[in-house]
Amino acid sequence: MLSVLILLVAACGNGNNGAASSSASSSAPASSEAAGSPSASAASSAEASGTRNVKHALGDLPITGVPKKIVVLEWTYAEELLTLGVQPAGVADIENMKKWISTPTELSADVQDVGTRQEPNLETIAALEPDLIIGVKFRHEATYDQLNGIAPTLLFDPYPPEGQGDQYQEMLDTFHTIADVLGKQAEAEAMLADLQKTYDDGKAKLAAAGKEGRSIVLTMPWVDQNAVTFRISTDNALAIKNLEHLGLKNAFKPAQFEVYGYSTTGVEALQSVQDADYLHITAEDDVLPMLEKNPVWTGLNFVKDKRVYALGGDTWPYGGPYAAKLMAERAVNALTAAQ
Amino acid sequence: MIKALVREPAPSPPRMEPALPARGGRGWLPFAMLAGGLLLLAVLAFVSLTQGLSHISVATAFDALIAPKDTPDHRVIHGVRLPRTAMALLSGTALAVSGALMQSVTRNPLASETTLGINAGAFLVVAVGTVFWPGLLHQYAFLFAVAGGAGAALLVFGMGGGRKGTPIRIALSGMIVTLVLSSVTSALLLLFEQSTQGLFLWGSGSLNQNDWSGVRFAWPWVAGGLAVVLLAVRHLDLLAFGEETAQSLGHRIAGTRTFAMGAGIVLACVSVSIVGPIGFIGLLAPHIVKLSGMTRHAWLLPLSAIWGAAILLGADTIARSFAASAVGELPAGAVTAFIGAPWIIWLALRVSKHAASSAGAESRASMQISLFAKRMPYPLLILAFAALLVLVSLAALMSGTLHLSAEQVVSTLLGNGTPLHEKVLIDLRLPRLLTAAVVGVALAASGSLMQSAVRNPLADPQIVGVSSGAGVGAMLLLIAFPALPPGWVPVGAFAGGLAAAAIVYAAAWRRGLSPTVLTLVGIAVAASGSALINILVVYAKLTLAPALAWLAGSTYARSWSELGQTLPFIALLLPLAWWLGRRVDLLSFHDESSTGLGLPVRRTRLLVALLAVLLASVAVAAVGAVGFIGLLAPHAARMLAGSNHRRMILLSSLIGAVLLVGADWIGRIVLSPKEIPSGIVVALIGAPYLVFLMFRSRAGR
């Protein structure tokens, strides 16, 4: 039948295609490398020109030159790119990204939306002819081969399993890796220095307000049709490690290791942590009215003592250094605000 | 004109129990049931009060009820746990009474909020409300739920043949409607991932309560509904007689019917609007009561209410007992599905026994060959659809983010395109297209075979539980061995599909693989498969998005490797299916005739069914649980070319390929760059066509 014929023709075509596409992709970075050489050579010399191996969640990936057109499939890495002063060529789910996270600069208007984070549109990505694709392991591992066929693809795994490292260190490592690939080590160092300064200033402010070393819990509540459900952050969470740099301590101890950094529970779980300060990231405004009708909530010590602090719905607890800085600043401001 | 494809004798649906009990129940039994139920309720209520994250002993719970103080423990009991227990009681009552009413009205032992699509309809409308009108939904959740539930019930009845529908047919159309509506709901959950994050779990039933507002809303409706219905018990008892008898006795039961059905829907929707769709209570509770001989509504309704409340409370208790384990708290609806599924299997065996001994409606039904007045010659049909396939394929290859003209497509295929075109066409679009075509062929062939084996034009691998089984197999593999490369998922799917089919056939074997039993048990297995999948998704936590996408049936990112895994199997199995054609033709007659013609009926049926399951499993392994093609393609083929099986396999394979390729194409371009999974597009295309077919076949009788 006709489909068999198409199959045969395609198979022949595919054989030729293999050679053609590899030569095409190797010529593109060469030209971009020439264009981008000033910043590249300013960075650590030998890495910028030539091929180097970049370590990522699926092993080593050879990358040639400095990528110019980057497609990012998870919001955290888009934020990191913007922090380094690079506009991506394509980002997944831009509309929701603008709703849920904040970035140091706005995404430029000609950044292409490439579909959902879970199922990015491969054709749209291919049509952009990118030099680099950045994704996340738990979403994009299954389609890695196809993504890598379009452009060299880096996958990161922000949720290390128990005993294999912590989320905060992973965030820093990934940030450095991306900065190295893009030749933006200087900007990276600047951001991290800024972050450290935020920690130091924050600690000082907290000490001045008598709030240093406080016990806190961090939650992300939402309404689950009938009741409020909480994601309470655990010690291994990126957000908690971030707040620990301010000297704050997490009061919540989960029953088991939570690889994503939070336990999902109901309001009863808050009873065991009611003497800590309650920090929350609430994106929807129907949560608080519902909680106020709940007698367990109203009986909690931190509610009665007014130690409930909102960090703003667009504080992204899974982000990069900029998000960490934002969260630290907001936490300090909330805790030291005049009662 | 198109005649009916299946003629069933115009029946009064087979009755499960006598119109009035021979005696009014043995004297002590009703009271024993009452006392037993109440005792169970009390015990379960106390147990449930002690469950939760703060440790509260039975003594404290007791204390809190008798002498409430303002301690934290007592606050927890009064503020959070007692509402939950109360809600479970109200919900269980509402669902059980609703189920009993529906069963009486339709004289169908299988009628309930689950099987008549009411749960699915209400959930869909609530999901739509959550996405588009969240404020409105918050205020009027009940109205949304009723609109959805009533709409779905109407659809199911229309499709199932209205008052003349047999229990099996209505159960099947309920299943189909549920599948369609769930597909649309899945689409919403996928496309609006952040704003519907709580909805997935709620969709499995969640008795979690914030305060007393839910209970305060529900109890007037439930109490009122129950009271009103109890006042009408004498009229309800008359429903069991059937129209002619009742009319001859001078009563109009049309009004009673409408009233009872309406009450049933309203009660079910009260529950859904607050705690989400919880299934099987409406089936379990009334049947437990009827088992003890109580069929008069004066006893049936209150006892069903008590036992329904007890079952739901028990299910919730079991669900919450998992909270401390690695799995986490299960949704109550998943537990009820687990309890309910074996029950349906048992019920199915019982119904088939009665059906066989009474009118013997199903075993005598034969598939009539349709006579299409303006019949096209067969070769012309094949050519027409092949041409259609080529056209649709060309369109699919041309469209997408990068628009290619027809000349560009052809020249790229011949190796003369630009590297970008080659990448897009040959690496991305072509393997996807071919996978869709091959899977479409497999599903259509599987559907044809299964419909012949089960001798019911509504059979489809999804309905017989193969798709759910494959889904369970794949998820179990993903969870048990997370380190395995994704290429192993098809193996799990294969194993799961076969296991599910094995259960269904084993259960039906003793009834000679009767079509009735196969279908019913298939429904039960499919339902428990879905419940199990929901549980596994809860267990796997964040991997919700990938699981949902796969479960919906998707051709996203299918590459040459998937095609390579699928094509050999199909190339092997399809000719086998064609070769079996003559015997399958014989299967379509009455069992006695077929045996008389020398066909080993049971063995052939098993072989045909096995082949169908293999084809379906391979398909599900490749693209996830795509449904409806196995239903629609054979239907269309039969309408156009008659029932000659060999012709039908070829034609329906072509139609199946066209359908899935078309769905893949539409799913890609409609919301670009977002994609709608092909399984959902097929459901959306297929649903109106299916409804049309059903109405047509009903009218043509």
Side-chain angles (χ1 to χ4, degrees), chain B residues 332-547:
Chain B
V335 179
T336 58
F338 261 131
I339 305 177
W343 195 265
I344 295 196
I345 297 183
W346 182 84
L347 208 60
L349 295 173
R350 215 166 158 228
V351 166
S352 72
K353 191 158 50 154
H354 277 262
S357 63
S358 66
E362 293 308 317
S363 65
R364 292 228 219 110
S366 67
M367 310 253 279
Q368 193 187 34
I369 298 177
S370 85
L371 300 166
F372 196 105
K374 289 186 296 179
R375 200 137 153 228
M376 285 172 86
Y378 179 69
L380 201 58
L381 276 174
I382 295 282
L383 218 59
F385 274 100
L388 187 59
L389 183 61
V390 171
L391 274 176
V392 176
S393 306
L394 197 61
L397 287 174
M398 281 167 54
S399 11
T401 318
L402 196 64
H403 188 85
L404 298 173
S405 72
E407 301 87 39
Q408 284 173 312
V409 170
V410 175
S411 68
T412 313
L413 284 176
L414 293 173
N416 298 329
T418 70
L420 178 63
H421 288 179
E422 287 195 7
K423 165 147 266 91
V424 169
L425 199 60
I426 298 190
D427 284 344
L428 299 178
R429 285 184 198 169
L430 194 57
R432 202 172 150 148
L433 182 100
L434 291 174
T435 309
V438 169
V439 168
V441 165
L443 286 173
S446 167
S448 321
L449 289 171
M450 193 151 303
Q451 283 163 22
S452 305
V454 182
R455 213 164 48 221
N456 192 317
L458 291 177
D460 163 90
Q462 206 169 13
I463 291 178
V464 185
V466 172
S467 305
S468 315
V472 170
M475 286 221 73
L476 276 177
L477 201 74
L478 273 175
I479 290 179
F481 305 106
L484 273 185
W488 279 86
V489 172
V491 176
F494 214 76
L498 282 176
I503 296 178
V504 175
Y505 293 130
W509 183 257
R510 276 206 282 138
R511 297 272 185 271
L513 287 183
S514 133
T516 308
V517 179
L518 270 176
T519 319
L520 286 175
V521 179
I523 293 180
V525 170
S528 27
S530 304
L532 193 53
I533 289 177
N534 280 355
I535 293 180
L536 290 174
V537 170
V538 170
Y539 178 63
K541 296 191 192 182
L542 204 67
T543 39
L544 177 65

Side-chain angles (χ1 to χ4, degrees), chain B residues 242-268:
Chain B
E243 273 196 79
E244 309 82 21
T245 325
Q247 272 170 0
S248 69
L249 286 170
H251 292 271
R252 291 178 308 122
I253 51 175
T256 316
R257 250 208 190 110
T258 321
F259 157 73
M261 197 65 202
I265 294 182
V266 164
L267 279 172

Side-chain angles (χ1 to χ4, degrees), chain A residues 5 13 22 42 44 74 83 97 99 159 175 210 219 228 265 296 305 318:
Chain A
L5 193 62
S22 56
S44 343
E74 179 59 81
T83 307
M97 174 173 148
K99 180 178 165 196
Y159 304 112
F175 187 56
T219 72
V228 180
T265 63
V296 177
D305 303 341
Y318 316 108

Side-chain angles (χ1 to χ4, degrees), chain B residues 624-655:
Chain B
V626 174
F628 296 104
I629 295 188
L631 207 53
L632 298 175
H635 246 277
R638 212 177 288 124
M639 242 173 47
L640 292 168
S643 287
N644 178 321
H645 195 79
R646 286 187 167 175
R647 292 186 171 189
M648 213 182 68
I649 286 258
L650 276 181
L651 189 58
S652 63
S653 301
L654 271 178
I655 298 180

Side-chain angles (χ1 to χ4, degrees), chain A residues 64-247:
Chain A
T64 311
V66 175
K68 285 287 162 208
K69 281 207 217 165
I70 305 147
V71 169
V72 183
L73 303 179
E74 179 59 81
W75 300 334
T76 307
Y77 311 120
E79 174 209 307
E80 292 183 5
L81 246 70
L82 290 172
T83 307
L84 296 171
V86 176
Q87 285 281 348
V91 172
D93 204 356
I94 296 182
E95 187 186 325
N96 276 318
M97 174 173 148
K98 293 194 174 165
K99 180 178 165 196
W100 290 88
I101 82 172
S102 42
T103 49
T105 50
E106 287 297 311
L107 272 181
S108 115
D110 40 83
V111 175
Q112 280 286 326
D113 189 315
V114 299
T116 58
R117 291 174 290 162
Q118 185 51 41
E119 289 195 343
N121 191 319
L122 297 173
E123 283 189 27
T124 317
I125 298 176
L128 289 172
E129 297 188 278
D131 308 319
L132 179 67
I133 301 176
I134 303 180
V136 76
K137 182 165 177 244
F138 72 90
R139 289 191 201 269
H140 306 120
E141 185 178 7
T143 44
Y144 182 71
D145 289 333
Q146 297 212 282
L147 286 169
N148 209 25
I150 299 176
T153 304
L154 291 173
L155 292 189
F156 298 108
D157 183 7
Y159 304 112
E162 187 166 17
Q164 289 183 28
D166 77 70
Q167 296 184 9
Y168 188 82
Q169 188 57 44
E170 195 280 339
M171 183 269 284
L172 291 177
D173 291 342
T174 304
F175 187 56
H176 279 301
T177 307
I178 295 181
D180 283 344
V181 168
L182 298 177
K184 299 276 185 184
Q185 284 88 341
E187 287 83 348
E189 293 306 324
M191 176 73 230
L192 293 176
D194 195 12
L195 184 59
Q196 186 57 46
K197 183 166 179 302
T198 309
Y199 291 148
D200 297 332
D201 288 347
K203 270 194 183 158
K205 271 199 191 165
L206 286 173
K211 299 264 180 115
E212 61 184 300
R214 298 280 286 196
S215 242
I216 53 109
V217 284
L218 176 65
T219 72
M220 281 79 76
W222 76 90
V223 175
D224 190 348
Q225 197 66 16
N226 305 329
V228 180
T229 308
F230 298 82
R231 283 183 178 173
I232 310 188
S233 298
T234 53
D235 281 339
N236 62 319
L238 170 61
I240 293 295
K241 289 271 177 287
N242 184 34
L243 294 174
E244 281 176 2
H245 276 96
L246 291 170

Side-chain angles (χ1 to χ4, degrees), chain A residues 202-203 205-218 243-244 246-249 275-280 302 305-311 326-339:
Chain A
K203 270 194 183 158
K205 271 199 191 165
L206 286 173
K211 299 264 180 115
E212 61 184 300
R214 298 280 286 196
S215 242
I216 53 109
V217 284
L218 176 65
L243 294 174
E244 281 176 2
L246 291 170
L248 301 171
K249 298 190 204 11
D275 293 322
D277 290 344
Y278 177 81
L279 304 173
H280 65 101
F302 52 67
D305 303 341
K306 297 202 193 319
R307 286 181 284 114
V308 173
Y309 305 104
L311 293 183
L326 203 60
M327 181 186 287
E329 279 178 355
R330 289 180 178 181
V332 169
N333 289 343
L335 286 168
T336 56
Q339 291 287 347

Side-chain angles (χ1 to χ4, degrees), chain A residues 2 9-10 17 113 117 119-121 123-124 126 143 146 149 224-226 258 268 271 290 293-296 299, chain B residues 53-54 75 79-81 194 198 202 206 208 210-211 274 390 401 413 420 422-423 429-430 556-557 668 673:
Chain A
L2 236 58
V9 169
N17 176 47
D113 189 315
R117 291 174 290 162
E119 289 195 343
N121 191 319
E123 283 189 27
T124 317
T143 44
Q146 297 212 282
D224 190 348
Q225 197 66 16
N226 305 329
E258 301 279 4
E268 283 188 31
Q271 287 199 316
M290 198 155 207
K293 294 192 279 181
N294 185 312
V296 177
Chain B
L53 283 162
S54 336
R75 274 175 169 258
V80 171
R81 295 192 189 175
Q194 290 303 130
W202 185 81
S206 158
N208 210 6
N210 189 48
D211 51 34
I274 300 183
V390 171
T401 318
L413 284 176
L420 178 63
E422 287 195 7
K423 165 147 266 91
R429 285 184 198 169
L430 194 57
Y556 172 76
R668 260 196 307 128

